[in-house]
Amino acid sequence: MKAASKFLSAASAVTLSAALVVPGALAVQFVATSAAEAAVVSRVEVSGNQRIDAETIRNYITIKPGKAFSSSDIDSAVKALFGTGLFSDVQINQVGSTLVVKVAEYQVVNQVLFQNNKKLKDNALAMAVQLKPRGTFSQATLDADVESIKAAYKRIGRDDVTVTTQVMQLGDNRVNVVFNIAEGDRTQIAAINFVGNSAYSSRRLSDVINTKRSTWLSFVLRDDVYDDDKLRADQELLRRFYYNHGYADFQVVSAVGELDSATNKYTVTITVQEGDRYTFGDVSVESTIPEVDSKSLESVVETRKGDVYNAKDVEDSIIALTEKVAGSGYAFAQVTPRGDRNFENHTISVVYTVDQGTKAYIERIEIRGNDRTRDYVIRREFDVSEGDAFNQVLIQRAKKRLEALNYFDKVDISTVPGSQPDQVVLVVDVVEKSTGEFSIGAGYSTGGDTAGPSVEGSITERNFLGRGQFIKLSAGGGKNSRDYSISFTEPYFLGRRIAAGFDVFKQTRNYDNYDSDTVGATVRFGLPITNSISTQLAYNISQEKYELDDGCDANGDGIPDADCSVSTAILDGIKQSPWIKSSVSLGLVYNTIDDMKNPHEGIYATTTAEFAGLGGDAKYVKVTGRGSIYQTLSEQFDLVGLISAGAGHVQGYGSDGELRIFDQFQSNDRMIRGFAYGGIGPVDPLTGDHLGGTTYFNASAEAQFPLPVVPESFGLRGAVFADAATLYGSKITSVAQESTNLELRASVGLGLMWASPFGPIRIDYAIPVKKEARDDVQEFNFGISTRF
């Protein structure tokens, strides 16, 4: 009995081993000569095949008539046939002088059908499963596809989905596969709790992570889907947030999501250990390469003694040092930071050590998972290519660039040994995401040249045809406006990191007494100078047409009716239309904002110079600038301070240097709140029309804070502010004007900001505390908010 058991165990082990080596195996028979003996057959007979030609099967095996073979050759033949993925069973026997190869073919899938699915369309599910029409069928693959469908539904928040299958036999070894799906209800996130945090409020930490609590807007935002991978990514976001704010000992102790089956809602609990806050101690650079002077490298280091410890500054310093040394001819140089904590005074001294590093070259770069995105779109984000020196710092920077494209849900870069000891293969695995958007929305604005109700629709594709190009078509309008535009951007013009694009637009506006119609186009080129500084060069051309509206010019003769009061300056501008404006502009942007959607720290500054006169009718030079500084005033209460300032000047040139009214600056809510659009500055005393000015200065101070009681997932924040501005000067000589001198206006007020699914919306109530007699006041302002 023991001998029989041992034999059965051995047989089971052989069968199991064969199944592991060749997945899907049902049975394997070995009836052949012993390993020590060789055999010869006169022919190879194939049976059991229906679709696969017998000669094709013979070609897969190495055993040939008249050639000696052994049991190892039979073993190899079995593995080779199973390895094709075409057969569910393979048996090879020697019968006399004939080698009999008996196979059982997998059934062929005729159709893959999905039933009762609404939230995920057929094409999305077809991409998730392995079974395909005209492919082979196996039960193991079918079972795996069921789990893949469940995983796809779980990613959209439907954890209780059930999937049953039906295999329909069609004859001729063909089948239809049917997946019956009961999608179930959508799971929600009832609460996100943080435990152990004291330096930052739970509200502030909720802004950091991507997982959000379910609210009445979740059906639009879809940000309340619980996903284990998403929660792991949130842990990394929390680490980076704390590391970048001085908490070098921060740890995520645990992060769990518990599902209440009764309510179908998750409760997410994230337990953290913040540790102490550190500042930088001594910062120095050392070099083990004799030819590299460490003192000359200190200028590129971004960490400074006394500053709050910031892991991003350390990373940027490593990159800057690596590029500096590599530019000096040391491509294999490796920069390693060494931190020395002082627990008593809570400082971290950092020493950057420059070593020669191991010499390794990139043999090739393999890209996987990019079914839609072209290879070159991914490769161009690398500063290294095949044959270059391997540098881990540059590889990590490429990974960040790929993630910043927002084309992929996930980016992983790994290395495997190359064909030579000093060569490596870079393997880039990506998981693509949807990059197309269709949006439609409605709104209402109280100020500007688009005041009143409005509606807008747009189609956007960020990765057009997988080429990494951006294209957007939009149309919108309201009671007093119509807008149409087409935009296109190629981010790597001529293979270089230069963004080239164009915009074509048409705008119509209906003002109190006249209408305008503008058609134009812009050709632009953008170039990043550093990680924080970029520049843009553009050529702009437009045609502007103005005419009195029907209510002011009933006769259509261009002369206002007796009961219509219009400034002579406006009438002169109307008479000069159509007006061709041809200009070139140069802009410079400095941006260190931490989060463009929800800024807490950093600087955003921009300046633009425009020269009009390259043909056309307009002749002027216009210079504008604006800067905003965000600073967190209280981490615990999530209080953010904002100081902004701006200025602009336009100067006409030519025989008289005169400007049209339409070329001068008009005041708006970005200049000062509490006043109507075009409500301050030079004014025609006869008609009361504000004519704009040639120079303006403005400044604003604001404190932003979360609203008490209101959940942070609603995206609502409050603000208190104080504004000051002046608009003065005029190059219009056709009418006498008042308020042309530098006169300061000021206002104070309250604001309510909402990060809505349709864009940031803001309501402001401002009271002018200093104004001029002819200024137009507008205390309430409501509309789409533009922070930068």
Side-chain angles (χ1 to χ4, degrees):
M1 188 68 182
K2 290 182 180 180
S5 297
K6 290 180 180 179
F7 172 77
L8 290 173
S9 298
S12 299
V14 170
T15 304
L16 178 60
S17 300
L20 290 174
V21 173
V22 187
L26 299 179
V28 179
Q29 276 191 356
F30 295 97
V31 181
T33 58
S34 67
E37 300 180 35
V40 178
V41 294
S42 59
R43 68 191 186 95
V44 177
E45 181 181 295
V46 178
S47 64
N49 57 311
Q50 298 181 29
R51 296 179 297 106
I52 312 301
D53 184 69
E55 190 61 31
T56 301
I57 296 175
R58 293 189 185 99
N59 290 334
Y60 277 121
I61 64 178
T62 60
I63 301 173
K64 305 298 180 185
K67 181 181 177 182
F69 65 93
S70 65
S71 59
S72 62
D73 294 318
I74 293 179
D75 185 34
S76 298
V78 171
K79 292 178 180 178
L81 290 174
F82 271 119
T84 63
L86 300 173
F87 308 107
S88 60
D89 188 21
V90 176
Q91 298 179 22
I92 299 180
N93 298 284
Q94 182 181 354
V95 180
S97 61
T98 301
L99 187 72
V100 179
V101 181
K102 186 177 181 180
V103 298
E105 295 179 357
Y106 278 121
Q107 292 177 304
V108 177
V109 177
N110 180 59
Q111 283 184 300
V112 179
L113 305 173
F114 304 96
Q115 294 185 348
N116 304 318
N117 55 306
K118 297 180 180 179
K119 301 302 179 182
L120 288 177
K121 302 303 181 183
D122 286 0
N123 57 347
L125 294 174
M127 293 178 63
V129 300
Q130 300 178 57
L131 291 174
K132 307 291 182 184
R134 296 183 297 278
T136 57
F137 171 82
S138 73
Q139 186 63 42
T141 305
L142 180 66
D143 294 340
D145 284 347
V146 169
E147 296 304 314
S148 296
I149 292 174
K150 290 181 178 179
Y153 273 94
K154 186 174 182 180
R155 286 193 292 271
I156 64 170
R158 295 185 178 271
D159 290 29
D160 56 347
V161 62
T162 58
V163 182
T164 59
T165 60
Q166 182 181 3
V167 181
M168 304 174 63
Q169 301 291 336
L170 303 179
D172 295 330
N173 213 28
R174 297 182 304 120
V175 296
N176 280 349
V177 178
V178 181
F179 293 95
N180 296 296
I181 302 169
E183 295 180 321
D185 295 328
R186 187 171 181 269
T187 54
Q188 296 180 320
I189 298 178
I192 300 176
N193 302 318
F194 292 91
V195 179
N197 56 307
S198 59
Y200 296 94
S201 66
S202 296
R203 182 187 292 268
R204 178 70 179 101
L205 297 182
S206 296
D207 288 338
V208 174
I209 63 177
N210 290 325
T211 302
K212 304 297 182 183
R213 188 170 73 87
S214 299
T215 67
W216 63 280
L217 280 173
S218 296
F219 78 97
V220 177
L221 298 175
R222 298 297 182 183
D223 56 0
D224 65 334
V225 175
Y226 177 81
D227 182 77
D228 291 331
D229 290 337
K230 189 176 181 180
L231 189 58
R232 280 190 288 270
D234 285 339
Q235 295 178 53
E236 182 60 27
L237 290 175
L238 287 171
R239 292 188 191 96
R240 295 195 66 84
F241 173 76
Y242 272 93
Y243 292 163
N244 290 340
H245 289 81
Y247 295 88
D249 296 328
F250 172 81
Q251 293 181 11
V252 178
V253 178
S254 64
V256 295
E258 297 180 354
L259 178 64
D260 185 343
S261 56
T263 61
N264 204 28
K265 293 182 179 180
Y266 278 96
T267 297
V268 178
T269 303
I270 302 176
T271 304
V272 302
Q273 182 176 321
E274 294 178 325
D276 295 324
R277 196 181 198 197
Y278 291 85
T279 58
F280 282 111
D282 294 330
V283 178
S284 60
V285 180
E286 295 180 352
S287 174
T288 62
I289 304 175
E291 295 81 4
V292 175
D293 179 19
S294 58
K295 291 294 182 182
S296 65
L297 300 176
E298 293 180 353
S299 61
V300 301
V301 174
E302 298 190 14
T303 51
R304 298 288 183 269
K305 183 177 181 179
D307 289 351
V308 175
Y309 175 81
N310 189 311
K312 183 178 183 301
D313 288 344
V314 175
E315 293 174 359
D316 291 343
S317 297
I318 293 172
I319 293 174
L321 287 168
T322 301
E323 292 180 335
K324 179 79 171 178
V325 176
S328 301
Y330 299 92
F332 299 100
Q334 181 177 352
V335 180
T336 306
R338 185 178 71 251
D340 182 15
R341 281 180 174 83
N342 187 318
F343 296 100
E344 294 181 0
N345 58 17
H346 299 109
T347 61
I348 300 178
S349 297
V350 181
V351 178
Y352 298 95
T353 303
V354 181
D355 297 314
Q356 181 59 260
T358 304
K359 290 187 176 182
Y361 298 89
I362 299 173
E363 181 176 344
R364 67 180 184 277
I365 300 176
E366 293 184 0
I367 302 173
R368 304 184 303 201
N370 57 321
D371 297 328
R372 182 167 178 269
T373 305
R374 311 290 179 93
D375 273 11
Y376 70 82
V377 173
I378 297 175
R379 289 178 180 272
R380 68 192 184 188
E381 299 301 330
F382 287 82
D383 290 329
V384 294
S385 57
E386 283 89 345
D388 289 348
F390 174 78
N391 190 302
Q392 186 64 45
V393 172
L394 300 182
I395 302 305
Q396 290 302 312
R397 183 164 69 174
K399 182 176 184 292
K400 291 181 179 180
R401 287 176 177 169
L402 289 172
E403 291 171 338
L405 292 176
N406 201 23
Y407 301 163
F408 312 108
D409 278 323
K410 187 177 182 181
V411 178
D412 285 323
I413 302 179
S414 58
T415 60
V416 297
S419 59
Q420 301 296 325
D422 63 344
Q423 293 184 334
V424 296
V425 177
L426 287 183
V427 180
V428 183
D429 289 296
V430 298
V431 178
E432 293 183 311
K433 66 193 299 185
S434 175
T435 56
E437 297 175 357
F438 171 75
S439 64
I440 185 170
Y444 186 88
S445 175
T446 58
D449 55 1
T450 60
S454 62
V455 63
E456 180 181 0
S458 65
I459 299 174
T460 304
E461 174 55 63
R462 302 191 309 274
N463 187 14
F464 183 59
L465 299 178
R467 297 173 178 173
Q469 298 165 334
F470 174 92
I471 187 169
K472 180 178 181 179
L473 289 79
S474 65
K479 179 181 178 182
N480 299 310
S481 63
R482 297 288 187 277
D483 292 277
Y484 309 93
S485 67
I486 300 174
S487 296
F488 175 84
T489 302
E490 166 55 63
Y492 275 77
F493 183 61
L494 299 178
R496 300 183 178 275
R497 197 166 282 123
I498 300 174
F502 64 84
D503 308 293
V504 179
F505 60 90
K506 176 180 174 60
Q507 300 175 342
T508 61
R509 297 289 184 267
N510 304 123
Y511 299 98
D512 289 340
N513 297 316
Y514 65 96
D515 304 328
S516 72
D517 189 340
T518 303
V519 178
T522 297
V523 178
R524 46 187 164 74
F525 299 90
L527 174 66
I529 299 174
T530 68
N531 290 335
S532 304
I533 302 175
S534 60
T535 185
Q536 178 171 294
L537 177 67
Y539 172 72
N540 318 281
I541 186 167
S542 63
Q543 181 188 63
E544 304 172 9
K545 293 182 179 180
Y546 298 88
E547 61 182 8
L548 292 171
D549 62 24
D550 294 339
C552 192
D553 182 16
N555 298 323
D557 56 5
I559 300 174
D561 300 337
D563 58 348
C564 181
S565 177
V566 182
S567 172
T568 301
I570 296 177
L571 293 175
D572 289 344
I574 293 175
K575 291 176 182 178
Q576 292 174 356
S577 70
W579 186 265
I580 303 296
K581 183 167 64 177
S582 175
S583 69
V584 61
S585 60
L586 178 65
L588 192 66
V589 176
Y590 176 75
N591 182 11
T592 61
I593 296 295
D594 59 343
D595 184 348
M596 295 296 287
K597 293 182 179 179
N598 187 20
H600 280 70
E601 294 179 356
I603 299 174
Y604 188 92
T606 178
T607 181
T608 302
E610 181 183 11
F611 175 81
L614 303 178
D617 303 307
K619 289 181 172 56
Y620 63 77
V621 177
K622 183 180 291 186
V623 180
T624 59
R626 181 181 177 88
S628 300
I629 302 175
Y630 286 85
Q631 180 63 52
T632 300
L633 304 178
S634 171
E635 304 284 8
Q636 183 64 36
F637 299 103
D638 194 15
L639 182 63
V640 178
L642 166 62
I643 296 177
S644 60
H649 179 73
V650 59
Q651 179 67 49
Y653 66 91
S655 58
D656 54 10
E658 188 172 351
L659 294 170
R660 297 182 311 153
I661 180 177
F662 306 118
D663 294 329
Q664 298 198 138
F665 295 110
Q666 295 285 344
S667 65
N668 53 41
D669 62 322
R670 282 175 61 81
M671 187 180 294
I672 186 169
R673 288 161 284 195
F675 296 86
Y677 174 80
I680 69 172
V683 61
D684 185 338
L686 296 179
T687 63
D689 291 322
H690 284 86
L691 308 180
T694 59
T695 305
Y696 74 87
F697 295 97
N698 73 291
S700 177
E702 181 171 298
Q704 302 174 357
F705 50 87
L707 297 179
V709 182
V710 179
E712 72 281 351
S713 54
F714 277 41
L716 290 171
R717 291 178 68 84
V720 293
F721 59 83
D723 293 349
T726 181
L727 176 64
Y728 64 96
S730 178
K731 288 293 184 179
I732 297 173
T733 60
S734 59
V735 296
Q737 301 168 63
E738 295 180 357
S739 300
T740 58
N741 297 325
L742 193 159
E743 298 290 346
L744 192 67
R745 281 82 165 177
S747 64
V748 295
L750 302 172
L752 178 65
M753 299 172 290
W754 179 33
S756 79
F758 316 106
I761 294 176
R762 178 161 181 153
I763 302 174
D764 288 316
Y765 176 74
I767 301 175
V769 295
K770 182 174 175 54
K771 62 179 182 177
E772 296 297 310
R774 287 189 172 274
D775 290 344
D776 293 336
V777 174
Q778 180 177 295
E779 296 176 341
F780 274 103
N781 188 74
F782 173 79
I784 300 295
S785 169
T786 303
R787 292 192 179 97
F788 306 106

